[in-house]
Amino acid sequence: MIFPTNRSIREYIRQNKLCNQFLPKMITIGELFNRIIIPPKNKLIVDSDLRIIYLQKAIKKLNFKKLGLSDDFAKLYTQGEYIFKFFNELNSEFKTIEDLIIYDSYSFYEEHLRILRAIYDNYKQILEEKNAFDRIILPENFSINKDFLEVFSNIELYYEGYFSAFEFYLIEELAKIIPLSLYCTINKFNQKNIELFSKIKLELEINYQYELDISNAVIIKKNRLESKAIEHNIYPVSSRLLQLGMIKYSIVSMIKEGINPSNIVLVTPDEQFSQWIKIFDDEKYCNFAMGMKINQLNIYQYAHAIRDYLNIDEPKNKEKIKYFLIDEVYIDEKIKPLWNKKIDKECFIELLDFILQQEKNKEILEKFFEIKVLLESMLALVEIDDNVRFKDGFEIFLKKLEKIVLDDTNGGKITVVGILETRAMEYEGVIVIDFNDNIVPKRSIKDKYLSTSIKKYSKLPTLEDRENLQKYYYQRLFQNAKKVHISYVADKEHTASRFLNELFEKQNIIDVDFTDILKQKKEIFIDKKKITKEINLSTLRWSATSLKIFLECKRRYYFQYILKINQHEIALKPKGYEIGNIIHNILEKNFKNNKFTIEEMKNELSKYQNTNPYLTIELELWKKQLEMFFQNEQQRFQSGIRIHALEEPFLIQINNITLQGKIDRIDKLVNGTFAIIDYKTSTSLKIDSIKNYEDTTDFQLEFYFLATKHLGVSMVGYYDLNDGKIKEELVLEQKLKKLDEILKSLQTTIVDFEMCSKKQICEFCPYKVMCNRD
């Protein structure tokens, strides 16, 4: 039995393991093609590394830069993939570059095509000289492994996708040797297969499932596909990371509706986003079929630090060497002199061993050793005229290193996969994220060198063919599901994928705020203990913050300002004041440099979104939130208001008590008076009124007024950055009188630093553990 993927094989085994019979031999279709095709005898099969080394030789003396290629080995390693996929596609469809030149009737691509033909001819010549063979030219020279087929009495092939001309030729040849049945589904998105199977006199129709006898060109079974509406919810979100909340929401709702977690799939069109899913998967819902990349681990960073240090002489790269405790003397004396010279094989392997000794993880060590063996084999084949430098060999090593994938051993029951892994699979619950037009459909690098029209006329797979195949996968997945949840980012730069219009006649779009799902709360337990101290509080310096803490909870004030116990916590999740500090600092920096637009603000915020995922999602939300603030700022500036000062510090004496602080902003109004402004990012901002000011603990604006009243201040207020509005202090005079009373009460001899009585004050207190209130 032949399946599209190993996952579909495992699923077949799971469904049939209780059957009282032997299971047939099962392999993937990729493995089938690899096993039945025999390349020419006594030829070295080149791998992806030797391929690039030979390509570098093949493009010499050619005008390769017209194709956008670089002679830099590291860049060519990536660019070479475009070249070889182009060659492979041509050969797989039994086409030549000469065929394409004929179809290029206006000669738009003739020069490029002639360069590509020269590269191909040179490459084949190099292979001939090396007595080597590349699988991309298999259709030109191969035989069929009939011995392998002897283990089968017949073949049942479960087909999803498109066959290339070469693959279909192989299927036809197999069907002549052994009975071959093929199972497939035809819908409006993969009807190109109708034309393909008509070549062997099989006439298929849209919206049917088929069992085909390829050996005898007979339709064995034909079942009409059941037409049903797909039960789905589509969730637009304002930020990509908010989809993490949508994932949690969808998993819980599907389980509540009776869907087994192991029968839920999470599809990531951009598989790199899976790292964010893993970081936020506190509940351990997910297992990751694609495994976990090594690029966040120490050995990867260690190796890259060496490469960066040797390539670019910058202080930051020297700091990386020190940070990872890399032996700088060894690198400088042993490796640096060889870096730009032809590769010294012995020293190269020695460097790999030097890196290897830093790693302790058994799984990584095993995979690293495999890389080392492969590189040793490659180096044994490299000849003097191949001009491989030490740095080129190290680049090959890094490319192999970044491909290491570690098994997800702590995964949950929800399977996370790319769309190709869903072939021949059925799930009751389907969750798809990133359903945006820039991600779905996934673009192919095979479409780089030719226009769609030339591909169409020359019978090569077109962009439309590839997009239709992706639609086919999605529709098959959705049609077999009970529940489908889809999310996409909706903002000025991003739109939903056009696939939605073709997959759903009527879209069920639901707006949900997923922000709170990513936040957690804990219960608080109260205990009591008495702490008293002889102290005159009037001799201390007071800020509005320290006074607020003292008035709210004397115990916290004691820990923080008397004992000076600092918070000792390393946490990913940012505190509210951390977000506020970032925004305050950017506003100060931008305004001092006459940068007053939301675009400039967003650019600065993006600089903080590189490392901490929790901070990243918070700042992404603030990019949207601050738009109203900048709209209001534009109106204020147009009215003639000007910024007088930013982050203005003060130190004053009131009632013989020292008050200190720093004012966010002072504006000069049109009438010549001044406005004192304090930025607020908190969503819980409240302005005191005549009814409640007696109970207030917030005297920040009063501090600011006392420090600036000599200017002629006509207004003090908070600038609420959540809605872009200034909230004026309405009871300034009353609160000034209240503050005067409080300052006089600070003339003390002994103080009872009691715990507060309000539980909500403890919730975010860093000292609640010390009070047994955690």
Side-chain angles (χ1 to χ4, degrees):
M1 297 183 75
I2 314 299
F3 290 88
T5 65
N6 283 314
R7 179 169 295 278
S8 53
I9 291 175
R10 291 195 297 270
E11 179 62 16
Y12 180 87
I13 293 172
R14 187 189 68 80
Q15 291 180 1
N16 293 275
K17 64 182 179 181
L18 298 179
C19 297
N20 189 22
Q21 60 182 11
F22 290 110
L23 292 176
K25 180 177 177 61
M26 290 171 279
I27 59 173
T28 65
I29 192 165
E31 186 181 354
L32 173 70
F33 287 143
N34 284 336
R35 299 289 293 274
I36 64 170
I37 301 172
I38 302 176
K41 290 182 179 180
N42 303 319
K43 294 271 189 181
L44 167 71
I45 304 298
V46 299
D47 63 8
S48 59
D49 305 319
L50 274 177
R51 185 185 263 182
I52 299 299
I53 292 171
Y54 295 163
L55 175 65
Q56 193 174 39
K57 291 183 69 174
I59 65 175
K60 264 187 176 180
K61 299 179 182 179
L62 296 176
N63 195 3
F64 57 86
K65 290 189 177 179
K66 287 205 169 185
L67 297 177
L69 297 179
S70 171
D71 55 0
D72 178 75
F73 187 85
K75 292 179 181 177
L76 186 63
Y77 201 100
T78 300
Q79 295 169 341
E81 187 178 0
Y82 308 149
I83 298 285
F84 288 112
K85 287 201 172 185
F86 175 75
F87 292 156
N88 185 58
E89 184 173 70
L90 279 182
N91 288 332
S92 295
E93 298 298 335
F94 298 125
K95 300 293 179 183
T96 66
I97 291 178
E98 283 71 20
D99 295 332
L100 301 181
I101 292 174
I102 293 171
Y103 289 113
D104 183 20
S105 54
Y106 294 100
S107 300
F108 286 147
Y109 298 93
E110 183 175 1
E111 185 179 14
H112 286 182
L113 290 171
R114 293 195 185 282
I115 295 171
L116 285 165
R117 182 173 62 185
I119 292 173
Y120 186 65
D121 291 343
N122 289 353
Y123 182 69
K124 286 181 66 178
Q125 180 63 35
I126 292 168
L127 291 176
E128 195 65 34
E129 292 170 0
K130 304 284 188 183
N131 194 34
F133 189 81
D134 193 317
R135 287 188 175 276
I136 65 167
I137 57 177
L138 266 177
E140 298 179 9
N141 189 1
F142 74 98
S143 57
I144 291 180
N145 184 0
K146 294 183 180 180
D147 292 339
F148 172 72
L149 295 175
E150 290 180 358
V151 302
F152 299 96
S153 58
N154 67 298
I155 291 178
E156 293 182 13
L157 194 158
Y158 291 85
Y159 171 58
E160 297 267 342
Y162 294 143
F163 283 129
S164 68
F166 177 52
E167 289 169 340
F168 195 69
Y169 171 78
L170 291 174
I171 294 298
E172 288 184 273
E173 291 302 302
L174 289 181
K176 294 174 184 176
I177 300 169
I178 188 172
L180 192 153
S181 300
L182 185 146
Y183 299 84
C184 66
T185 300
I186 306 295
N187 64 25
K188 64 180 180 179
F189 296 124
N190 72 333
Q191 56 184 302
K192 185 179 178 181
N193 283 314
I194 294 176
E195 178 185 348
L196 183 67
F197 285 103
S198 67
K199 294 177 181 179
I200 56 173
K201 304 285 191 297
L202 287 171
E203 302 301 325
L204 308 185
E205 299 177 66
I206 297 175
N207 295 327
Y208 282 92
Q209 285 182 324
Y210 290 96
E211 180 184 346
L212 307 175
D213 179 349
I214 303 298
S215 299
N216 297 302
V218 174
I219 297 175
I220 301 173
K221 288 183 182 177
K222 176 182 177 182
N223 297 322
R224 186 166 186 82
L225 293 174
E226 180 184 349
S227 179
K228 67 167 186 173
I230 300 170
E231 189 171 340
H232 69 282
N233 294 340
I234 300 174
Y235 301 103
V237 295
S238 60
S239 166
R240 193 180 185 198
L241 291 178
L242 280 178
Q243 294 178 120
L244 299 166
M246 173 268 185
I247 291 169
K248 294 174 185 281
Y249 172 86
S250 298
I251 289 172
V252 171
S253 64
M254 287 180 180
I255 292 173
K256 283 182 177 179
E257 292 185 28
I259 297 177
N260 190 313
S262 59
N263 214 346
I264 298 174
V265 67
L266 170 54
V267 179
T268 55
D270 176 7
E271 293 186 12
Q272 291 184 352
F273 194 71
S274 63
Q275 65 176 321
W276 294 105
I277 299 172
K278 188 169 184 67
I279 288 171
F280 280 86
D281 186 22
D282 299 323
E283 301 84 359
K284 303 296 181 187
Y285 286 139
C286 301
N287 69 79
F288 297 83
M290 67 285 290
M292 300 310 299
K293 295 285 187 182
I294 198 177
N295 57 4
Q296 297 300 319
L297 299 184
N298 191 66
I299 191 169
Y300 180 88
Q301 303 293 339
Y302 191 95
H304 273 260
I306 293 173
R307 189 273 307 271
D308 294 343
Y309 175 70
L310 291 169
N311 272 343
I312 306 173
D313 185 14
E314 288 185 356
K316 67 176 183 179
N317 292 332
K318 193 177 183 70
E319 286 301 314
K320 284 183 185 178
I321 293 291
K322 291 179 180 177
Y323 177 80
F324 286 107
L325 303 177
I326 298 171
D327 186 346
E328 192 173 343
V329 174
Y330 168 74
I331 299 297
D332 283 343
E333 295 182 359
K334 196 71 180 283
I335 306 302
K336 203 169 192 175
L338 303 172
W339 189 245
N340 288 297
K341 296 180 180 179
K342 286 185 180 180
I343 193 164
D344 182 307
K345 300 173 185 179
E346 184 178 336
C347 288
F348 183 79
I349 296 301
E350 182 183 299
L351 177 58
L352 296 188
D353 289 334
F354 172 78
I355 296 171
L356 184 62
Q357 69 184 4
Q358 313 302 321
E359 187 55 56
K360 305 300 179 187
N361 182 290
K362 186 177 179 181
E363 184 182 0
I364 295 176
L365 287 172
E366 289 175 355
K367 293 178 184 290
F368 194 107
F369 183 74
E370 291 174 9
I371 291 176
K372 182 183 171 185
V373 171
L374 288 171
L375 289 173
E376 286 178 323
S377 300
M378 181 202 77
L379 291 174
L381 298 169
V382 171
E383 299 175 8
I384 295 175
D385 66 335
D386 289 329
N387 293 318
V388 179
R389 295 170 299 175
F390 197 109
K391 67 188 296 183
D392 298 336
F394 199 75
E395 196 65 39
I396 292 173
F397 160 68
L398 289 178
K399 294 294 183 184
K400 286 188 174 297
L401 188 65
E402 69 185 22
K403 290 178 182 177
I404 289 180
V405 176
L406 303 179
D407 294 334
D408 179 27
T409 56
N410 298 317
K413 294 186 177 181
I414 312 298
T415 301
V416 183
V417 296
I419 186 61
L420 290 179
E421 277 293 306
T422 67
R423 288 174 295 172
M425 297 291 294
E426 293 184 8
Y427 298 92
E428 293 184 2
V430 174
I431 304 167
V432 186
I433 60 172
D434 279 339
F435 220 76
N436 281 90
D437 210 44
N438 62 317
I439 298 177
V440 179
K442 185 176 183 179
R443 270 63 177 181
S444 172
I445 64 174
K446 293 179 182 178
D447 299 313
K448 184 175 177 65
Y449 293 112
L450 294 174
S451 68
T452 297
S453 60
I454 292 178
K455 286 198 159 198
K456 184 176 181 180
Y457 289 124
S458 59
K459 301 295 184 183
L460 289 174
T462 64
L463 177 63
E464 182 182 9
D465 293 334
R466 300 189 207 287
E467 289 189 359
N468 280 337
L469 186 56
Q470 291 179 61
K471 293 173 195 173
Y472 167 79
Y473 294 143
Y474 281 112
Q475 188 182 61
R476 286 269 291 138
L477 185 65
F478 294 163
Q479 283 283 359
N480 291 318
K482 291 181 179 178
K483 284 282 184 180
V484 175
H485 286 198
I486 299 171
S487 67
Y488 65 90
V489 178
D491 59 20
K492 292 179 182 178
E493 290 82 30
H494 302 92
T495 59
S497 171
R498 59 188 182 277
F499 276 17
L500 287 176
N501 296 325
E502 298 182 66
L503 293 169
F504 303 103
E505 291 183 11
K506 186 177 180 182
Q507 297 173 24
N508 183 32
I509 298 177
I510 303 173
D511 288 314
V512 177
D513 184 359
F514 297 109
T515 308
D516 290 340
I517 294 176
L518 300 179
K519 298 179 179 178
Q520 298 178 351
K521 293 183 178 179
K522 293 183 179 180
E523 294 183 7
I524 294 164
F525 301 93
I526 304 298
D527 191 15
K528 294 184 178 181
K529 185 178 179 181
K530 192 174 183 69
I531 296 177
T532 59
K533 182 177 177 64
E534 292 183 5
I535 187 172
N536 183 358
L537 295 174
S538 68
T539 62
L540 306 177
R541 283 189 180 184
W542 292 84
S543 66
T545 301
S546 64
L547 182 62
K548 178 179 175 65
I549 289 173
F550 177 78
L551 296 174
E552 287 182 343
C553 180
K554 293 180 175 60
R555 181 65 57 87
R556 176 178 177 178
Y557 179 87
Y558 176 76
F559 288 144
Q560 189 165 342
Y561 292 97
I562 305 299
L563 297 183
K564 299 186 184 300
I565 299 174
N566 295 323
Q567 299 182 45
H568 187 71
E569 181 181 358
I570 300 173
L572 276 176
K573 293 184 180 180
K575 303 290 190 299
Y577 66 81
E578 292 176 295
I579 300 294
N581 286 345
I582 289 171
I583 293 174
H584 278 59
N585 292 339
I586 294 174
L587 287 173
E588 178 192 9
K589 175 185 172 183
N590 280 10
F591 285 177
K592 282 183 176 179
N593 291 301
N594 296 317
K595 296 180 178 180
F596 301 109
T597 67
I598 182 63
E599 288 75 19
E600 291 164 323
M601 184 72 186
K602 288 180 178 179
N603 289 339
E604 291 297 320
L605 286 171
S606 295
K607 294 177 182 179
Y608 290 85
Q609 292 183 281
N610 297 326
T611 54
N612 186 332
Y614 292 92
L615 183 61
T616 296
I617 193 170
E618 291 280 2
L619 293 180
E620 193 67 29
L621 294 171
W622 273 107
K623 288 180 182 180
K624 296 287 293 181
Q625 202 85 337
L626 286 167
E627 289 178 356
M628 292 180 287
F629 165 76
F630 279 94
Q631 289 172 8
N632 191 49
E633 283 292 270
Q634 189 176 16
Q635 294 172 5
R636 295 181 79 245
F637 293 151
Q638 287 174 353
S639 72
I641 295 173
R642 293 292 178 264
I643 296 175
H644 175 72
L646 294 166
E647 299 296 324
E648 185 75 10
F650 64 86
L651 189 69
I652 59 174
Q653 289 278 329
I654 303 293
N655 293 340
N656 294 320
I657 295 176
T658 302
L659 306 183
Q660 64 181 4
K662 186 183 287 186
I663 301 169
D664 288 346
R665 177 168 156 185
I666 303 173
D667 282 359
K668 188 173 184 179
L669 306 180
V670 179
N671 62 8
T673 62
F674 291 86
I676 309 302
I677 291 173
D678 186 68
Y679 298 127
K680 289 296 179 186
T681 55
S682 172
T683 56
S684 58
L685 175 62
K686 293 180 181 178
I687 303 300
D688 293 323
S689 67
I690 197 68
K691 294 181 179 180
N692 64 10
Y693 82 90
E694 285 285 351
D695 298 322
T696 191
T697 58
D698 179 13
F699 293 95
Q700 188 167 16
L701 295 177
E702 284 63 40
F703 271 46
Y704 293 176
F705 176 82
L706 292 171
T708 58
K709 61 181 180 180
H710 61 281
L711 292 175
V713 175
S714 60
M715 192 278 289
V716 293
Y718 291 118
Y719 213 143
D720 188 347
L721 299 183
N722 290 280
D723 61 12
K725 296 178 181 178
I726 296 176
K727 313 291 175 63
E728 187 174 348
E729 181 72 280
L730 302 175
V731 286
L732 178 63
E733 291 185 13
Q734 293 87 340
K735 289 180 68 175
L736 285 170
K737 291 179 181 178
K738 179 73 176 175
L739 175 60
D740 186 64
E741 295 172 3
I742 291 171
L743 294 178
K744 289 176 180 177
S745 72
L746 296 180
Q747 298 283 349
T748 60
T749 55
I750 187 167
V751 178
D752 178 5
F753 291 100
E754 60 185 339
M755 289 189 287
C756 61
S757 58
K758 296 180 180 178
K759 294 181 181 180
Q760 61 267 31
I761 292 175
C762 300
E763 186 170 358
F764 300 106
C765 177
Y767 306 101
K768 60 185 177 181
V769 176
M770 299 175 69
C771 298
N772 293 321
R773 290 192 170 185
D774 188 19

